[in-house]
Amino acid sequence: MEETADVVFEVDNGSLQSEEHTNKKSKTTATFYAHRFILQDISTMLAELCKPDEGGVTTVSITDVKSEIFKHMIYYAYGGKLSKDELKNNAKDIINACDKYGVVHLKLEAEAIYVESTKMTIENMMDNLLYADSKNLALLKEAVMDYIVANKGDIMGKFSFDNVPSSMITDVLAAVSRGEETGNNSTDYNKMRAGTLRKMLDEKELDVDGSRESMIALLKEHSDSDSA
């Protein structure tokens, strides 16, 4: 791939101690080769970074992602499939990197594994809720909301929600509505699970990386245009 690559990523791992007994530091850089036409299929942001130089080969410096995580993204771009253990062990790092560089589907895979492998508790629910909100992790946010509704008796009066953005009220109401549903056949977008909303958007080839509100708005917009 090196011979035909038109993009070179130089991923700086940061300063590392070269000798335990000295204060000397050395920078280690990992190099990854790629092709612009491959990258543009998984990330418009990466493609934008890789606009061709005069010589035809673009060198891009990456300083905010671990080289191992960036390697996962490139591997995924070329059709590679990360194992469940790789996703589980690096879930947050993968989510953060993919969120920053727009590798949407790998981000959502890592989110799904994170939700599956994380036991929600009173102690961690707020951190997970705020993290979900900051990274547009609708599935994780839904899991936290479901936990809150299911354990409201234990939570009420024992936990402060002062730091919760008011925009999350709709997520709370959606969780309550889902709990009151006797079946799973609701056609109301507001009562649908995040996974269902994402599937509907994906079938329409629309953006699946967004908050619950943005996904619903996008579905409504295109439902209206389809019926017009």
Side-chain angles (χ1 to χ4, degrees):
M1 181 161 61
E2 181 177 345
E3 293 76 13
T4 60
D6 54 10
V7 178
V8 179
F9 290 104
E10 299 287 351
V11 184
D12 181 10
N13 283 317
S15 296
L16 303 173
Q17 287 292 112
S18 58
E19 298 285 345
E20 289 186 3
H21 60 281
T22 69
N23 290 323
K24 293 181 180 179
K25 294 183 178 180
S26 62
K27 286 192 174 182
T28 59
T29 302
T31 301
F32 299 97
Y33 298 90
H35 302 84
R36 198 172 294 108
F37 77 95
I38 295 289
L39 297 176
Q40 67 188 9
D41 283 342
I42 68 152
S43 169
T44 54
M45 192 174 299
L46 280 177
E48 185 68 21
L49 282 175
C50 301
K51 287 184 176 179
D53 293 332
E54 290 184 8
V57 177
T58 304
T59 300
V60 180
S61 176
I62 302 292
T63 61
D64 50 8
V65 177
K66 298 175 185 176
S67 61
E68 189 63 26
I69 302 303
F70 198 83
K71 180 181 177 181
H72 286 325
M73 289 201 297
I74 296 298
Y75 176 68
Y76 185 85
Y78 281 82
K81 182 73 174 176
L82 272 64
S83 71
K84 188 173 182 178
D85 283 342
E86 286 174 322
L87 289 169
K88 180 180 177 181
N89 295 335
N90 302 285
K92 277 197 168 182
D93 283 336
I94 291 173
I95 289 169
N96 294 343
C98 290
D99 182 69
K100 182 174 183 63
Y101 288 101
V103 185
V104 173
H105 286 88
L106 180 56
K107 170 188 169 182
L108 300 188
E109 284 187 29
E111 178 196 10
I113 293 296
Y114 181 79
V115 170
E116 179 185 314
S117 61
T118 299
K119 181 180 179 180
M120 213 61 65
T121 66
I122 292 178
E123 288 73 26
N124 69 20
M125 67 177 188
M126 184 55 66
D127 286 342
N128 280 309
L129 187 59
L130 295 177
Y131 179 62
D133 189 58
S134 69
K135 302 297 179 183
N136 275 331
L137 303 175
L139 196 67
L140 177 58
K141 187 185 289 187
E142 180 179 273
V144 179
M145 293 300 180
D146 286 345
Y147 174 82
I148 291 172
V149 171
N151 297 275
K152 55 184 180 293
D154 295 327
I155 295 171
M156 288 177 62
K158 301 177 184 177
F159 198 90
S160 172
F161 287 89
D162 292 343
N163 294 327
V164 175
S166 58
S167 60
M168 291 189 189
I169 295 299
T170 55
D171 294 282
V172 174
L173 294 175
V176 172
S177 296
R178 286 194 303 272
E180 295 173 346
E181 287 286 329
T182 56
N184 195 32
N185 299 315
S186 175
T187 56
D188 185 346
Y189 291 142
N190 294 304
K191 295 180 181 179
M192 289 180 181
R193 290 199 165 273
T196 302
L197 295 172
R198 283 176 177 170
K199 182 179 179 181
M200 294 174 71
L201 288 167
D202 194 49
E203 288 173 350
K204 292 176 179 287
E205 298 184 351
L206 300 172
D207 185 13
V208 297
D209 186 23
S211 66
R212 177 178 206 64
E213 292 79 5
S214 64
M215 289 194 290
I216 290 173
L218 194 55
L219 280 170
K220 286 182 176 179
E221 175 187 341
H222 283 266
S223 292
D224 292 341
S225 62
D226 290 342
S227 60

